[in-house]
Each structure stands twice: as C-alpha cells, then as structure tokens.
Amino acid sequence: MKFITEDDLRDLYFKSPFTSYEIKQGTRLTPGARQFLIDFKIDFNINNKIKKAYKKNCEDNIIDEINLAIDIKEFALSIRNIDKNFSDKLCDLSYKIYSNENLNCGIRFREINLKKEFMNINLDLKLAEKIIKSIRFEEYLSSKYEEDNNIKLLKNLIKLWAIRDNEDGDRN
C-alpha cells in the first residue's frame, strides 16, 4: 500500500497545476494530502471502477426495496378478505419499506415452523387459507430476497398472524 503525502501533491501541483486528482487502486491519501486537495478545491476520487460498483449496488438495493414493498402490498391485497386489519397493517409496512424507513418493533420472536403448525392444528377453512398463503409468501420471500432484519421481521409478523385464532383477527 502506497501513501500519497501532502508533499507529493505539492510537488506535482507546483510543477503543473491540476484541477482533479485520481487516487489509484492500492494507494491512499494521508490526512494532510486530503486536506491539501480540499484546500485547493481539487476534485479527487477513488478509482472510478469502485465508485461505479458502489453506485450500482446502491441502485440495486433501492430496486429491491421497491420490489419488496410491491410484493408486500400484493400479499396484503390477497389476504384482505381474510383479515382486513392485518392487510391494512401490511400496506402501512410496505409504505415504510418504500420510504426506506427501518422497521423495528422491539419484539423478539420465537421461531415458528408454519408447515409443522399446519399439520398439527385442527383447521377450519379460513385458518387453513391463512396458513397456506403465509407459507407460500414466506417461501417466495426466501427465494427472492436476501435475509435481512426487515425480511425476518416481516416473515415473523406473517407467521404470527397465520397461526393466531380467527376470533383474534375479528377483534383487531
């Protein structure tokens, strides 16, 4: 790793003044060198390839968040006839994700295996539909999105909704 010092930059500048400076891969600026570039209003950047990769990664993350918000809203609309209140909550959640807000409910969830619950619960038609839709949506999220805190929270909320009693959904 090579360090570019303020003296190196001063020598280059006084031999031939410049308005931009590219920091090559494998080199770093000392704090004095960085300050020199700032003081002389010299545009400097870290390797354009790194910058472009970072920008593309940011754009991909934004697209993923928008797609996730749309997927949540679609799921919310598909369960509207089962539980309108939870559907409305999911629509609010999708808007928060779309607005790039961090989701945090401050609750620790226990791990719930919906497939096991589905096999063990004496089901009526409405509860069966809730669990089946939840299992499908959980599998869809797992296949399409990287597991982060928002995805974990969303999955747990949907699992809890799926296994709670139908009367509970009517009261909320």
Side-chain angles (χ1 to χ4, degrees):
M1 171 93 37
K2 181 180 178 190
F3 287 91
I4 306 298
T5 66
E6 181 180 356
D7 291 336
D8 296 335
L9 291 176
R10 281 188 187 279
D11 291 342
L12 281 174
Y13 187 80
F14 290 116
K15 286 180 184 173
S16 174
F18 48 92
T19 57
S20 66
Y21 183 79
E22 184 173 335
I23 303 166
K24 305 273 191 265
Q25 194 168 3
T27 62
R28 297 184 101 185
L29 292 176
T30 63
R34 183 176 302 275
Q35 192 60 49
F36 173 83
L37 293 172
I38 292 169
D39 290 344
F40 280 78
K41 296 182 171 86
I42 298 170
D43 181 37
F44 62 98
N45 55 24
I46 299 171
N47 198 318
N48 282 335
K49 289 179 185 176
I50 296 170
K51 205 172 181 181
K52 286 177 185 175
Y54 176 77
K55 186 177 178 182
K56 183 175 179 357
N57 189 27
C58 290
E59 289 169 357
D60 290 347
N61 288 342
I62 291 169
I63 290 169
D64 280 349
E65 288 171 359
I66 292 169
N67 287 336
L68 177 60
I70 290 169
D71 289 338
I72 293 168
K73 195 142 194 158
E74 283 178 356
F75 179 71
L77 293 173
S78 77
I79 64 166
R80 194 155 190 82
N81 64 334
I82 300 171
D83 188 341
K84 182 186 178 313
N85 292 329
F86 189 67
S87 175
D88 291 342
K89 288 177 186 175
L90 284 178
C91 285
D92 292 342
L93 192 72
S94 74
Y95 183 75
K96 285 183 178 183
I97 289 173
Y98 178 77
S99 302
N100 202 18
E101 292 180 34
N102 192 18
L103 308 178
N104 187 1
C105 66
I107 299 172
R108 297 180 107 195
F109 294 99
R110 68 179 174 89
E111 189 60 37
I112 299 169
N113 184 334
L114 280 180
K115 291 179 182 177
K116 186 176 179 182
E117 295 288 336
F118 181 73
M119 297 309 292
N120 292 336
I121 296 175
N122 186 10
L123 300 172
D124 62 24
L125 192 57
K126 193 171 183 180
L127 185 56
E129 187 179 4
K130 283 171 64 172
I131 292 178
I132 290 169
K133 283 184 178 274
S134 299
I135 289 170
R136 297 285 184 255
F137 191 61
E138 179 186 3
E139 289 173 347
Y140 174 77
L141 289 175
S142 295
S143 69
K144 187 170 180 184
Y145 298 102
E146 198 172 299
E147 189 86 6
D148 66 3
N149 288 336
N150 287 347
I151 298 293
K152 286 179 186 175
L153 176 66
L154 181 63
K155 284 181 179 180
N156 281 319
L157 287 174
I158 291 170
K159 287 176 185 179
L160 289 173
W161 167 76
I163 64 169
R164 72 177 185 202
D165 294 335
N166 285 334
E167 300 82 37
D168 214 12
D170 296 336
R171 283 188 299 218
N172 288 334

